[in-house]
Amino acid sequence: MNTAIIRFILGHVLKIEGLFLFLPAIVSGIYQEHEGFYFVGVASVSLLLGFIMTKKTPKSQVFYLKEGCIATSLSWILLSFFGCLPFYLSGEIPSFTDAMFETISGFTTTGATILSDVEGLSYCALFWRSFTHWIGGMGVLVFLLAVIPLSGGSHINLMRAESPGPSVGKLVPKIRYTAQILYLIYFVMTVLECILLLIGGMPLFDALTTSFGTAGTGGFGIKNDSFVSYSPYLQWVVTIFMMLFGINFNAYYLILFGTIKKALSIEEVRVYIGIIIAAVGVIFFNVLGTCGSIFETLTHSSFQVISIMTTTGFSSVDFNLWPQASKTILVLLMFIGACAGSTGGGIKVSRLIILFKTLFKELNSYIHPKIVKKIKMDGKPVEHDIMRSTNVYFITFMIIFTISVLAVSFEDKDLVTNFTAVIATLNNIGPGLELAGPTQNFGHFSIFSKYVLMFDMLAGRLELFPLLILFHPSAWKDFFTKRVSPK
């Protein structure tokens, strides 16, 4: 294994985080808060360690999928550790476990919080808390590929290990340019949302933090009631952008350099929009008369459906009080998630399409044993490797989900709380139901359960396997050898 390149990548990640940590320090200067000194201190240590780790350039910059997965997993753990220190050292979150939980929830764009009084945090802490969503939404390693020219090696392995979805491809021949295009789209959409929120009368600080949370489909709010107190205009702006950030970014590339017709011809995008329309329609009629006027009912139905399906996790109403049918639909949407190649989490729409097509193919083979028919998406045959990886992903997902529910159940909380808390963290959604509902928090879980849920958040954001590789004995055996792993 090429341990030198892993060390080199981790060093760059620490330097990037160190630079990002100065942003909340600037915010603390604007609002004259002493908590900013803790951000400066942690940023300085992060930068120093980063420079030490990158001082010596590896002789070989070749790395394969194994190195990519290990570098990605360790990067996210390091990010979360250093990112939580300002919360912990300043005393704003006095428990290290809680500070780590909040930070992992931020970077993985989960939005599950242990805080009961969000508004009690300093402005710099609120800014950093929301900004972690923006960093984690597209991925810090994708950012690394965009700004740092790493020579040699199959860099798509690094992007595959971090980017959400069953497959990651190049938009343009060079991976670096692909990363730059993705981040440019990401940045422009974030700025556009911020401008529209400002037009609606939202204060600049609120607009920035909300845009960060929406872009990363994270869901950390800066108000105790999340989005309840904001106007319908602001709720609709966020609703629209949550949906947009849940779409495969390849569609935006096609819009920019192709046609809108080509973008809408993507099967996953059409199914994604269709599921949203169907879910909004059913919930609208199910809660009609309980959420105010028809317009208010449509606003809340649309907001919550899109917030849950894109795994953002903002809430404009306490949907825990909705009828059972509506809550059941929301739980099902938690499993589905957004599109592959978006900032959203979940199993992904494309995987479900492949699973259903595989099911129908098997049924047809029972009726017509000699039939030879390939599964297609967007008119192209789906490769066997993608079908196999999709099936393995789903099986692994259900195993982790089952074990996690069993692990947290020893606290003797009700089944709905445990079930939805796990699915809300494993699919990076945020709120669940009952004691994990939109008006509650995760602070009441035990330390053991919090670490189980932290694992779930990281596993869900990294598509399971990059994190699981850290628990494979041969990975650590190779880690302490200096040979480059085989392709």
Side-chain angles (χ1 to χ4, degrees):
M1 179 181 289
N2 191 348
T3 56
I5 191 64
I6 294 175
R7 180 258 307 161
F8 192 66
I9 291 170
L10 294 179
H12 279 301
V13 167
L14 284 176
K15 288 196 291 186
I16 291 172
E17 183 171 29
L19 293 175
F20 282 152
L21 280 165
F22 280 110
L23 293 177
I26 295 172
V27 173
S28 72
I30 295 172
Y31 290 97
Q32 298 181 348
E33 297 171 329
H34 71 276
E35 288 85 359
F37 290 109
Y38 296 99
F39 285 95
V40 172
V42 175
S44 301
V45 173
S46 183
L47 282 171
L48 178 62
L49 288 175
F51 279 113
I52 292 174
M53 294 171 70
T54 57
K55 186 176 180 181
K56 184 179 179 181
T57 303
K59 293 180 180 179
S60 172
Q61 293 195 14
V62 176
F63 57 92
Y64 299 107
L65 190 56
K66 183 192 296 183
E67 284 94 339
C69 289
I70 291 175
T72 299
S73 299
L74 293 178
S75 293
W76 282 73
I77 293 170
L78 268 183
L79 275 172
S80 301
F81 175 77
F82 281 92
C84 83
L85 290 179
F87 292 136
Y88 176 62
L89 296 175
S90 66
E92 294 203 76
I93 303 180
S95 164
F96 176 79
T97 298
D98 287 349
M100 192 71 169
F101 185 99
E102 197 78 7
T103 307
I104 289 177
S105 181
F107 279 120
T108 59
T109 72
T110 303
T113 182
I114 49 82
L115 298 171
S116 57
D117 183 18
V118 174
E119 296 176 34
L121 293 178
S122 62
Y123 281 99
C124 59
L126 285 173
F127 181 90
W128 177 242
R129 185 170 169 267
S130 295
F131 192 62
T132 54
H133 282 335
W134 198 82
I135 299 171
M138 188 61 69
V140 68
L141 295 180
V142 175
F143 181 81
L144 177 67
L145 291 172
V147 298
I148 299 175
L150 295 172
S151 61
S154 181
H155 298 159
I156 195 169
N157 287 323
L158 203 59
M159 184 177 282
R160 279 177 177 161
E162 185 179 56
S163 298
S167 63
V168 176
K170 302 177 183 179
L171 299 179
V172 290
K174 291 188 176 181
I175 282 293
R176 188 185 180 193
Y177 296 149
T178 297
Q180 288 174 349
I181 290 171
L182 289 173
Y183 253 100
L184 180 61
I185 295 170
Y186 190 52
F187 178 79
V188 170
M189 288 175 65
T190 305
V191 172
L192 181 58
E193 181 189 359
C194 187
I195 292 172
L196 291 175
L197 291 174
L198 290 172
I199 292 173
M202 183 179 278
L204 178 60
F205 183 82
D206 295 35
L208 283 171
T209 51
T210 299
S211 297
F212 294 151
T214 309
T217 60
F220 272 155
I222 61 171
K223 304 288 185 184
N224 288 332
D225 64 1
S226 189
F227 241 77
V228 175
S229 57
Y230 289 111
S231 68
Y233 167 83
L234 296 175
Q235 291 178 5
W236 273 107
V237 169
V238 172
T239 298
I240 292 168
F241 275 91
M242 285 191 295
M243 184 178 72
L244 293 176
F245 280 109
I247 291 176
N248 192 322
F249 272 47
N250 286 346
Y252 298 125
Y253 179 81
L254 290 175
I255 291 173
L256 290 173
F257 301 101
T259 62
I260 296 178
K261 185 178 179 181
K262 284 184 179 181
L264 293 177
S265 67
I266 299 176
E267 187 174 355
E268 183 184 28
V269 174
R270 288 187 278 111
V271 173
Y272 166 77
I273 295 173
I275 292 173
I276 288 175
I277 293 172
V280 169
V282 174
I283 290 179
F284 171 79
F285 287 108
N286 191 233
V287 301
L288 192 61
T290 63
C291 292
S293 66
I294 292 177
F295 177 73
E296 289 175 327
T297 303
L298 180 62
T299 299
H300 294 313
S301 300
S302 302
F303 189 98
Q304 289 309 149
V305 165
I306 294 174
S307 178
I308 293 298
M309 182 156 179
T310 60
T311 72
T312 305
F314 285 135
S315 56
S316 64
V317 68
D318 185 4
F319 54 81
N320 197 41
L321 301 176
W322 280 0
Q324 292 299 324
S326 294
K327 290 194 288 186
T328 301
I329 291 172
L330 291 180
V331 171
L332 292 175
L333 294 177
M334 290 180 184
F335 281 93
I336 297 172
C339 296
S342 70
T343 61
I347 293 175
K348 303 297 183 303
V349 174
S350 58
R351 283 198 180 98
L352 290 176
I353 293 173
I354 293 172
L355 286 171
F356 274 105
K357 288 189 174 184
T358 303
L359 172 61
F360 286 120
K361 179 185 176 183
E362 289 301 311
L363 289 175
N364 285 330
S365 68
Y366 276 88
I367 299 171
H368 307 287
K370 294 184 178 181
I371 192 172
V372 178
K373 187 177 181 181
K374 286 193 174 183
I375 294 174
K376 293 184 178 181
M377 280 190 69
D378 301 324
K380 299 177 182 177
V382 177
E383 298 293 333
H384 176 73
D385 287 345
I386 294 178
M387 292 173 58
R388 181 188 58 81
S389 65
T390 299
N391 294 333
V392 172
Y393 176 91
F394 186 74
I395 294 169
T396 307
F397 178 93
M398 294 309 299
I399 291 173
I400 294 176
F401 173 74
T402 303
I403 294 174
S404 298
V405 171
L406 178 62
V408 300
S409 68
F410 286 100
E411 284 195 45
D412 205 27
K413 289 183 170 65
D414 64 277
L415 178 60
V416 174
T417 296
N418 294 333
F419 185 94
T420 57
V422 171
I423 194 62
T425 50
L426 186 56
N427 274 350
N428 308 129
I429 294 159
L433 296 174
E434 300 300 337
L435 296 178
T439 61
Q440 304 294 325
N441 61 72
F442 287 70
H444 52 77
F445 282 94
S446 67
I447 292 177
F448 171 75
S449 293
K450 286 174 183 174
Y451 277 100
V452 171
L453 298 175
M454 277 189 260
F455 172 85
D456 288 343
M457 287 188 280
L458 285 169
R461 175 57 183 85
L462 299 180
E463 299 284 297
L464 308 183
F465 298 106
L467 189 64
L468 291 179
I469 282 179
L470 291 183
F471 296 89
H472 199 291
S474 66
W476 290 106
K477 181 181 177 181
D478 291 343
F479 190 82
F480 293 104
T481 62
K482 292 187 178 180
R483 62 183 178 84
V484 177
S485 63
K487 192 170 182 179

